[in-house]
Coordinates of all heavy atoms in Angstrom, one line a residue:
M1 N 23.4 24.5 41.9 CA 23.8 24.5 40.6 C 24.0 23.1 40.0 O 23.7 22.8 38.9 CB 25.1 25.4 40.4 CG 25.6 25.6 39.0 SD 24.4 26.7 38.2 CE 25.3 27.1 36.8
I2 N 24.7 22.3 40.9 CA 24.9 20.9 40.4 C 23.6 20.1 40.2 O 23.5 19.3 39.3 CB 25.8 20.2 41.5 CG1 27.2 20.9 41.6 CG2 26.0 18.7 41.2 CD1 28.1 20.3 42.6
V3 N 22.6 20.4 41.1 CA 21.3 19.7 40.9 C 20.7 20.1 39.6 O 20.2 19.3 38.9 CB 20.4 20.0 42.1 CG1 19.0 19.5 41.9 CG2 21.0 19.6 43.4
L4 N 20.8 21.4 39.2 CA 20.3 21.9 38.0 C 21.0 21.2 36.8 O 20.3 20.7 35.8 CB 20.4 23.4 37.9 CG 19.8 24.0 36.6 CD1 18.4 23.7 36.4 CD2 20.1 25.4 36.5
V5 N 22.2 21.1 36.8 CA 23.0 20.5 35.7 C 22.7 19.0 35.6 O 22.5 18.5 34.5 CB 24.6 20.7 36.0 CG1 25.4 19.8 35.0 CG2 24.9 22.1 35.9
V6 N 22.6 18.3 36.8 CA 22.2 16.9 36.7 C 20.8 16.7 36.2 O 20.5 15.8 35.4 CB 22.3 16.3 38.1 CG1 21.7 14.9 38.2 CG2 23.7 16.2 38.6
F7 N 19.9 17.6 36.6 CA 18.5 17.5 36.1 C 18.5 17.8 34.6 O 17.8 17.0 33.9 CB 17.6 18.6 36.8 CG 16.3 18.7 36.2 CD1 15.3 17.7 36.5 CD2 15.9 19.7 35.4 CE1 14.0 17.8 36.0 CE2 14.6 19.8 34.9 CZ 13.7 18.9 35.2
L8 N 19.2 18.8 34.1 CA 19.3 19.0 32.7 C 19.9 17.8 31.9 O 19.4 17.5 30.8 CB 20.0 20.3 32.4 CG 19.3 21.6 32.8 CD1 20.2 22.8 32.5 CD2 18.0 21.7 32.0
A9 N 20.9 17.2 32.5 CA 21.5 16.1 31.8 C 20.5 14.9 31.7 O 20.4 14.3 30.6 CB 22.8 15.6 32.6
F10 N 19.8 14.6 32.8 CA 18.8 13.6 32.7 C 17.7 13.9 31.7 O 17.2 13.1 30.9 CB 18.1 13.3 34.0 CG 19.0 12.5 34.9 CD1 19.3 12.9 36.2 CD2 19.4 11.2 34.5 CE1 20.1 12.1 37.0 CE2 20.2 10.4 35.3 CZ 20.6 10.9 36.6
F11 N 17.3 15.2 31.7 CA 16.3 15.7 30.7 C 16.7 15.5 29.3 O 16.0 15.0 28.4 CB 15.9 17.1 31.0 CG 14.9 17.7 30.0 CD1 13.6 17.3 30.1 CD2 15.4 18.5 29.0 CE1 12.7 17.9 29.2 CE2 14.5 19.1 28.1 CZ 13.1 18.7 28.2
F12 N 17.9 15.9 29.0 CA 18.4 15.8 27.6 C 18.6 14.3 27.2 O 18.3 13.9 26.0 CB 19.8 16.5 27.4 CG 19.6 18.0 27.4 CD1 20.3 18.8 28.2 CD2 18.7 18.6 26.5 CE1 20.2 20.2 28.1 CE2 18.5 20.0 26.5 CZ 19.2 20.8 27.3
I13 N 19.1 13.4 28.1 CA 19.2 12.0 27.8 C 17.9 11.4 27.6 O 17.7 10.6 26.6 CB 20.0 11.3 29.0 CG1 21.4 11.8 29.0 CG2 19.9 9.8 28.8 CD1 22.2 11.3 30.2
G14 N 16.9 11.7 28.4 CA 15.5 11.2 28.2 C 14.9 11.7 26.9 O 14.2 10.9 26.2
N15 N 15.2 12.9 26.6 CA 14.6 13.5 25.3 C 15.3 12.9 24.1 O 14.6 12.5 23.1 CB 14.9 15.0 25.3 CG 14.2 15.7 24.2 OD1 13.1 15.2 23.7 ND2 14.7 16.8 23.7
R16 N 16.6 12.6 24.2 CA 17.3 12.0 23.1 C 16.8 10.5 22.9 O 16.5 10.1 21.7 CB 18.8 12.0 23.3 CG 19.5 11.3 22.2 CD 21.0 11.5 22.3 NE 21.6 10.9 21.2 CZ 22.8 10.3 21.2 NH1 23.5 10.3 22.3 NH2 23.4 9.8 20.1
Y17 N 16.5 9.8 24.0 CA 16.0 8.4 23.9 C 14.7 8.4 23.2 O 14.4 7.6 22.4 CB 16.0 7.8 25.3 CG 15.4 6.4 25.3 CD1 16.1 5.4 24.9 CD2 14.1 6.2 25.7 CE1 15.6 4.1 24.9 CE2 13.5 5.0 25.7 CZ 14.3 3.9 25.3 OH 13.8 2.6 25.3
T18 N 13.8 9.4 23.6 CA 12.5 9.5 23.0 C 12.5 9.8 21.5 O 11.8 9.2 20.8 CB 11.6 10.6 23.8 OG1 11.6 10.3 25.1 CG2 10.2 10.6 23.2
C19 N 13.4 10.7 21.2 CA 13.6 11.0 19.7 C 14.1 9.8 19.0 O 13.6 9.6 17.8 CB 14.5 12.2 19.6 SG 13.9 13.7 20.1
M20 N 15.0 9.1 19.5 CA 15.5 7.9 18.8 C 14.4 6.8 18.6 O 14.3 6.2 17.6 CB 16.7 7.3 19.6 CG 17.9 8.1 19.5 SD 19.3 7.5 20.5 CE 19.5 5.9 20.0
Q21 N 13.6 6.7 19.6 CA 12.5 5.7 19.5 C 11.5 6.2 18.4 O 11.0 5.3 17.7 CB 11.7 5.6 20.9 CG 12.6 4.9 22.0 CD 12.9 3.5 21.7 OE1 13.7 3.2 20.9 NE2 12.1 2.6 22.3
R22 N 11.2 7.4 18.3 CA 10.3 7.9 17.3 C 10.9 7.8 15.9 O 10.2 7.5 15.0 CB 10.0 9.4 17.6 CG 9.0 9.5 18.8 CD 8.6 10.9 19.0 NE 7.7 11.0 20.1 CZ 7.3 12.1 20.6 NH1 7.7 13.3 20.1 NH2 6.5 12.1 21.7
V23 N 12.2 8.0 15.8 CA 12.9 7.9 14.5 C 12.8 6.4 14.1 O 12.5 6.1 12.9 CB 14.3 8.3 14.6 CG1 15.1 7.9 13.3 CG2 14.3 9.9 14.7
K24 N 13.0 5.4 15.0 CA 12.9 4.0 14.6 C 11.5 3.7 14.2 O 11.3 2.9 13.2 CB 13.3 3.2 15.9 CG 14.8 3.1 16.1 CD 15.0 2.2 17.4 CE 16.5 2.2 17.7 NZ 16.7 1.4 19.0
E25 N 10.5 4.2 14.9 CA 9.1 4.0 14.5 C 8.8 4.5 13.2 O 8.1 3.9 12.3 CB 8.2 4.6 15.6 CG 6.7 4.4 15.3 CD 6.2 2.9 15.5 OE1 7.0 2.1 16.1 OE2 5.1 2.6 15.1
I26 N 9.3 5.7 12.8 CA 9.1 6.4 11.6 C 9.7 5.5 10.5 O 9.1 5.3 9.4 CB 9.6 7.8 11.5 CG1 8.8 8.7 12.4 CG2 9.7 8.3 10.1 CD1 9.3 10.1 12.6
D27 N 10.9 5.0 10.7 CA 11.6 4.2 9.7 C 10.8 2.9 9.5 O 10.7 2.4 8.3 CB 13.0 3.8 10.1 CG 14.0 5.0 10.1 OD1 13.6 6.0 9.4 OD2 15.0 5.0 10.8
R28 N 10.3 2.3 10.5 CA 9.5 1.0 10.4 C 8.3 1.3 9.6 O 8.0 0.5 8.7 CB 9.2 0.5 11.8 CG 8.5 -0.9 11.8 CD 8.1 -1.3 13.2 NE 7.1 -0.5 13.8 CZ 5.8 -0.5 13.4 NH1 5.3 -1.4 12.5 NH2 4.9 0.3 14.0
L29 N 7.6 2.4 9.9 CA 6.4 2.7 9.2 C 6.6 3.0 7.7 O 5.8 2.7 6.8 CB 5.6 3.9 9.9 CG 5.0 3.5 11.3 CD1 4.5 4.8 11.9 CD2 4.0 2.5 11.1
E30 N 7.8 3.7 7.4 CA 8.1 4.0 6.0 C 8.4 2.7 5.3 O 7.9 2.6 4.1 CB 9.3 4.9 6.0 CG 9.0 6.4 6.3 CD 10.2 7.3 6.3 OE1 11.3 6.7 6.3 OE2 10.0 8.5 6.3
Q31 N 9.0 1.8 5.9 CA 9.3 0.5 5.2 C 8.0 -0.3 5.0 O 7.8 -0.9 3.9 CB 10.3 -0.3 6.0 CG 10.6 -1.7 5.4 CD 11.4 -1.5 4.1 OE1 12.2 -0.6 3.9 NE2 11.0 -2.3 3.1
K32 N 7.1 -0.2 6.0 CA 5.8 -0.9 5.8 C 5.0 -0.2 4.7 O 4.3 -0.9 3.9 CB 5.1 -0.8 7.1 CG 3.8 -1.6 7.2 CD 3.2 -1.6 8.5 CE 1.9 -2.5 8.6 NZ 1.3 -2.5 9.9
L33 N 5.1 1.1 4.6 CA 4.4 1.8 3.5 C 4.9 1.4 2.2 O 4.1 1.2 1.2 CB 4.5 3.3 3.7 CG 3.8 4.2 2.7 CD1 2.3 4.0 2.7 CD2 4.2 5.6 2.9
K34 N 6.2 1.3 2.0 CA 6.8 0.8 0.8 C 6.4 -0.5 0.4 O 6.1 -0.8 -0.8 CB 8.3 0.9 0.9 CG 8.9 2.3 0.8 CD 10.4 2.2 1.0 CE 11.0 3.6 1.1 NZ 12.5 3.6 1.3
D35 N 6.3 -1.4 1.4 CA 5.9 -2.8 1.1 C 4.4 -2.8 0.7 O 4.1 -3.5 -0.2 CB 6.0 -3.7 2.4 CG 7.4 -3.9 2.8 OD1 8.3 -3.7 1.9 OD2 7.7 -4.3 3.9
V36 N 3.6 -2.0 1.3 CA 2.2 -2.0 1.0 C 2.0 -1.4 -0.4 O 1.2 -1.8 -1.2 CB 1.4 -1.2 2.0 CG1 0.0 -0.9 1.5 CG2 1.3 -1.9 3.3
C37 N 2.7 -0.4 -0.8 CA 2.7 0.3 -2.1 C 3.1 -0.8 -3.2 O 2.5 -0.9 -4.2 CB 3.6 1.5 -2.2 SG 2.9 2.9 -1.3
F38 N 4.1 -1.5 -2.9 CA 4.6 -2.6 -3.9 C 3.5 -3.6 -4.0 O 3.2 -4.1 -5.2 CB 5.9 -3.2 -3.4 CG 6.3 -4.3 -4.3 CD1 6.9 -4.0 -5.6 CD2 6.2 -5.6 -3.9 CE1 7.3 -5.0 -6.4 CE2 6.6 -6.6 -4.8 CZ 7.2 -6.3 -6.0
E39 N 2.9 -4.0 -2.9 CA 1.8 -5.0 -3.0 C 0.6 -4.5 -3.8 O 0.0 -5.2 -4.6 CB 1.4 -5.4 -1.6 CG 0.4 -6.5 -1.5 CD 0.0 -6.9 -0.1 OE1 0.6 -6.4 0.8 OE2 -1.0 -7.7 0.0
H40 N 0.3 -3.2 -3.6 CA -0.8 -2.6 -4.3 C -0.5 -2.6 -5.8 O -1.4 -2.9 -6.6 CB -1.0 -1.2 -3.8 CG -1.8 -0.3 -4.8 ND1 -3.1 -0.6 -5.0 CD2 -1.5 0.8 -5.5 CE1 -3.6 0.3 -5.9 NE2 -2.6 1.2 -6.2
L41 N 0.7 -2.3 -6.2 CA 1.1 -2.2 -7.6 C 1.0 -3.6 -8.2 O 0.5 -3.8 -9.4 CB 2.5 -1.6 -7.8 CG 2.6 -0.1 -7.6 CD1 4.0 0.3 -7.7 CD2 1.8 0.6 -8.6
S42 N 1.5 -4.6 -7.5 CA 1.4 -6.0 -8.1 C 0.0 -6.5 -8.2 O -0.3 -7.1 -9.2 CB 2.3 -6.9 -7.2 OG 1.8 -7.0 -6.0
I43 N -0.8 -6.2 -7.2 CA -2.2 -6.6 -7.3 C -2.9 -5.9 -8.4 O -3.7 -6.4 -9.2 CB -3.0 -6.4 -6.0 CG1 -2.4 -7.4 -5.0 CG2 -4.5 -6.5 -6.1 CD1 -2.9 -7.2 -3.5
S44 N -2.7 -4.6 -8.6 CA -3.3 -3.8 -9.6 C -2.9 -4.3 -11.0 O -3.7 -4.4 -11.9 CB -2.9 -2.3 -9.5 OG -3.4 -1.5 -10.5
A45 N -1.6 -4.6 -11.2 CA -1.1 -5.2 -12.5 C -1.8 -6.5 -12.8 O -2.2 -6.8 -13.9 CB 0.4 -5.3 -12.4
E46 N -1.9 -7.4 -11.7 CA -2.6 -8.7 -11.9 C -4.0 -8.5 -12.3 O -4.5 -9.2 -13.2 CB -2.4 -9.5 -10.7 CG -3.0 -10.9 -10.8 CD -2.8 -11.6 -9.5 OE1 -2.0 -11.3 -8.7 OE2 -3.6 -12.6 -9.3
L47 N -4.7 -7.6 -11.7 CA -6.1 -7.3 -12.0 C -6.3 -6.8 -13.4 O -7.2 -7.2 -14.1 CB -6.7 -6.3 -11.0 CG -8.2 -6.0 -11.2 CD1 -9.1 -7.2 -11.1 CD2 -8.6 -4.9 -10.2
T48 N -5.4 -5.9 -13.8 CA -5.4 -5.4 -15.2 C -5.2 -6.5 -16.2 O -5.9 -6.5 -17.2 CB -4.4 -4.3 -15.3 OG1 -4.6 -3.2 -14.4 CG2 -4.4 -3.7 -16.7
G49 N -4.3 -7.3 -15.9 CA -4.1 -8.4 -16.8 C -5.2 -9.4 -16.9 O -5.6 -9.9 -18.0
N50 N -5.9 -9.7 -15.7 CA -7.0 -10.6 -15.7 C -8.3 -10.0 -16.3 O -9.2 -10.7 -16.6 CB -7.3 -11.1 -14.3 CG -6.2 -12.0 -13.8 OD1 -5.5 -12.6 -14.6 ND2 -6.1 -12.2 -12.5
S51 N -8.4 -8.7 -16.4 CA -9.6 -8.1 -16.9 C -9.6 -7.8 -18.4 O -10.5 -7.3 -19.0 CB -9.9 -6.8 -16.2 OG -8.9 -5.8 -16.5
R52 N -8.5 -8.3 -19.1 CA -8.5 -8.1 -20.6 C -9.4 -9.1 -21.2 O -9.7 -10.2 -20.7 CB -7.1 -8.4 -21.1 CG -6.1 -7.3 -20.7 CD -4.8 -7.4 -21.5 NE -4.0 -6.3 -21.2 CZ -2.8 -6.4 -20.7 NH1 -2.3 -7.5 -20.3 NH2 -2.1 -5.3 -20.4
Q53 N -10.0 -8.7 -22.3 CA -11.0 -9.5 -23.0 C -10.5 -10.9 -23.4 O -11.2 -11.9 -23.1 CB -11.6 -8.8 -24.2 CG -12.7 -9.5 -24.9 CD -13.3 -8.7 -26.0 OE1 -12.9 -7.6 -26.3 NE2 -14.3 -9.4 -26.7
S54 N -9.3 -11.0 -23.8 CA -8.7 -12.3 -24.3 C -8.6 -13.2 -23.0 O -8.9 -14.4 -23.1 CB -7.4 -12.1 -25.0 OG -6.5 -11.5 -24.1
Q55 N -8.2 -12.6 -21.9 CA -8.0 -13.4 -20.7 C -9.4 -13.9 -20.2 O -9.5 -15.0 -19.7 CB -7.3 -12.6 -19.6 CG -7.0 -13.3 -18.3 CD -5.9 -14.3 -18.5 OE1 -5.3 -14.4 -19.5 NE2 -5.8 -15.1 -17.4
I56 N -10.4 -13.0 -20.3 CA -11.7 -13.4 -19.8 C -12.3 -14.5 -20.7 O -12.9 -15.5 -20.2 CB -12.6 -12.2 -19.8 CG1 -12.2 -11.2 -18.7 CG2 -14.1 -12.6 -19.6 CD1 -12.9 -9.9 -18.7
E57 N -12.1 -14.4 -22.0 CA -12.6 -15.4 -23.0 C -11.9 -16.8 -22.7 O -12.5 -17.8 -22.7 CB -12.3 -15.0 -24.4 CG -13.2 -13.9 -24.8 CD -12.9 -13.3 -26.2 OE1 -11.8 -13.8 -26.8 OE2 -13.6 -12.5 -26.7
R58 N -10.6 -16.7 -22.4 CA -9.8 -17.9 -22.0 C -10.4 -18.6 -20.8 O -10.6 -19.8 -20.7 CB -8.4 -17.7 -21.9 CG -7.5 -18.9 -21.8 CD -6.0 -18.6 -21.7 NE -5.7 -17.8 -20.5 CZ -5.6 -18.3 -19.2 NH1 -5.7 -19.6 -19.1 NH2 -5.2 -17.6 -18.2
L59 N -10.6 -17.8 -19.7 CA -11.2 -18.3 -18.5 C -12.6 -18.9 -18.7 O -12.9 -19.9 -18.1 CB -11.2 -17.2 -17.4 CG -9.8 -16.8 -16.9 CD1 -10.0 -15.6 -16.0 CD2 -9.2 -17.9 -16.1
V60 N -13.4 -18.2 -19.5 CA -14.8 -18.8 -19.8 C -14.6 -20.1 -20.4 O -15.4 -21.1 -20.1 CB -15.6 -17.8 -20.7 CG1 -16.8 -18.4 -21.2 CG2 -15.9 -16.5 -19.8
E61 N -13.7 -20.3 -21.4 CA -13.5 -21.6 -22.1 C -13.0 -22.6 -21.1 O -13.4 -23.8 -21.1 CB -12.5 -21.4 -23.2 CG -13.1 -20.7 -24.4 CD -12.1 -20.5 -25.5 OE1 -11.0 -21.2 -25.5 OE2 -12.3 -19.8 -26.4
Q62 N -12.1 -22.3 -20.2 CA -11.6 -23.2 -19.2 C -12.6 -23.7 -18.3 O -12.6 -24.9 -17.9 CB -10.4 -22.6 -18.4 CG -9.1 -22.5 -19.2 CD -8.0 -21.9 -18.3 OE1 -8.3 -21.4 -17.2 NE2 -6.8 -21.9 -18.8
Q63 N -13.5 -22.8 -17.9 CA -14.6 -23.2 -17.0 C -15.7 -24.0 -17.6 O -16.6 -24.5 -17.0 CB -15.2 -21.9 -16.3 CG -14.2 -21.1 -15.5 CD -13.8 -21.9 -14.2 OE1 -14.6 -22.6 -13.6 NE2 -12.5 -21.8 -13.8
G64 N -15.7 -24.0 -19.0 CA -16.8 -24.7 -19.7 C -18.1 -24.0 -19.7 O -19.1 -24.6 -19.8
L65 N -18.1 -22.7 -19.5 CA -19.3 -21.9 -19.5 C -19.8 -21.7 -20.9 O -19.0 -21.6 -21.8 CB -19.1 -20.6 -18.8 CG -18.7 -20.6 -17.4 CD1 -18.4 -19.2 -16.9 CD2 -19.7 -21.2 -16.5
D66 N -21.1 -21.7 -21.1 CA -21.7 -21.6 -22.4 C -22.0 -20.1 -22.7 O -23.1 -19.7 -22.9 CB -23.0 -22.4 -22.5 CG -23.4 -22.6 -23.9 OD1 -22.6 -22.5 -24.9 OD2 -24.6 -22.8 -24.1
L67 N -20.9 -19.3 -22.7 CA -21.0 -17.9 -23.0 C -20.2 -17.5 -24.2 O -19.3 -18.2 -24.6 CB -20.5 -17.1 -21.8 CG -21.2 -17.3 -20.5 CD1 -20.5 -16.5 -19.4 CD2 -22.7 -16.8 -20.5
E68 N -20.7 -16.4 -24.9 CA -19.9 -16.0 -26.1 C -20.0 -14.4 -26.1 O -20.8 -13.8 -25.4 CB -20.5 -16.5 -27.3 CG -21.9 -16.2 -27.6 CD -22.4 -16.8 -28.9 OE1 -22.2 -18.0 -29.1 OE2 -23.0 -16.1 -29.7
G69 N -19.1 -13.8 -26.8 CA -19.0 -12.4 -26.8 C -20.1 -11.8 -27.7 O -20.7 -12.5 -28.5
A70 N -20.4 -10.5 -27.5 CA -21.5 -9.9 -28.2 C -21.1 -9.7 -29.6 O -19.9 -9.4 -29.9 CB -21.8 -8.5 -27.5
K71 N -22.0 -9.9 -30.5 CA -21.7 -9.7 -32.0 C -21.9 -8.2 -32.4 O -21.2 -7.8 -33.3 CB -22.7 -10.5 -32.8 CG -22.7 -12.0 -32.5 CD -21.4 -12.6 -32.9 CE -21.5 -14.2 -32.7 NZ -20.3 -14.8 -32.3
T72 N -22.7 -7.5 -31.7 CA -22.9 -6.1 -32.0 C -22.2 -5.2 -31.0 O -22.1 -5.6 -29.8 CB -24.4 -5.7 -32.0 OG1 -24.9 -6.0 -30.7 CG2 -25.1 -6.5 -33.1
P73 N -21.6 -4.1 -31.4 CA -20.9 -3.3 -30.4 C -21.9 -2.6 -29.5 O -23.1 -2.4 -29.8 CB -20.2 -2.2 -31.3 CG -21.0 -2.2 -32.6 CD -21.6 -3.6 -32.8
A74 N -21.4 -2.3 -28.3 CA -22.2 -1.6 -27.4 C -22.5 -0.1 -27.8 O -21.7 0.5 -28.5 CB -21.5 -1.6 -26.0
Y75 N -23.6 0.5 -27.4 CA -23.9 1.8 -27.7 C -24.7 2.4 -26.5 O -25.3 1.8 -25.7 CB -24.8 1.9 -29.0 CG -26.1 1.2 -28.9 CD1 -27.2 1.8 -28.5 CD2 -26.1 -0.2 -29.4 CE1 -28.4 1.1 -28.5 CE2 -27.3 -0.9 -29.3 CZ -28.5 -0.3 -28.9 OH -29.6 -1.0 -28.8
E76 N -24.6 3.8 -26.4 CA -25.2 4.5 -25.4 C -26.6 5.1 -25.8 O -26.8 5.5 -26.9 CB -24.3 5.7 -24.9 CG -23.0 5.3 -24.3 CD -22.2 6.4 -23.8 OE1 -22.8 7.5 -23.5 OE2 -21.0 6.3 -23.7
L77 N -27.5 5.1 -24.8 CA -28.8 5.7 -25.1 C -28.8 7.1 -24.5 O -28.3 7.3 -23.4 CB -29.9 4.9 -24.4 CG -30.0 3.4 -24.8 CD1 -31.1 2.7 -23.9 CD2 -30.4 3.4 -26.3
Y78 N -29.3 8.0 -25.3 CA -29.3 9.4 -24.9 C -30.7 9.8 -24.6 O -31.7 9.3 -25.2 CB -28.7 10.4 -26.0 CG -27.3 10.1 -26.2 CD1 -26.9 9.4 -27.3 CD2 -26.3 10.6 -25.3 CE1 -25.5 9.2 -27.6 CE2 -25.0 10.4 -25.6 CZ -24.6 9.7 -26.7 OH -23.3 9.5 -26.9
K79 N -30.9 10.7 -23.7 CA -32.3 11.2 -23.3 C -32.8 12.2 -24.3 O -32.1 12.9 -25.0 CB -32.3 11.9 -21.9 CG -32.1 10.9 -20.9 CD -32.2 11.6 -19.5 CE -32.1 10.6 -18.4 NZ -32.2 11.2 -17.1

């Protein structure tokens, strides 16, 4: 009986240690996911800001490129 109790005690201690390790890993991964989501949002906002027409025109002028905007609006061709 004592051997069974000792075996169960070691089993429960080992199981608890494994669970604690998994909880730490889950917490670490959740924090990493939050960091990646924040980075994604900041990059997305920067890309949105850089793709505005006024921003593109300013960058073209800064680079000294000989480009200008279209005078006529774009239109779609239908079949």
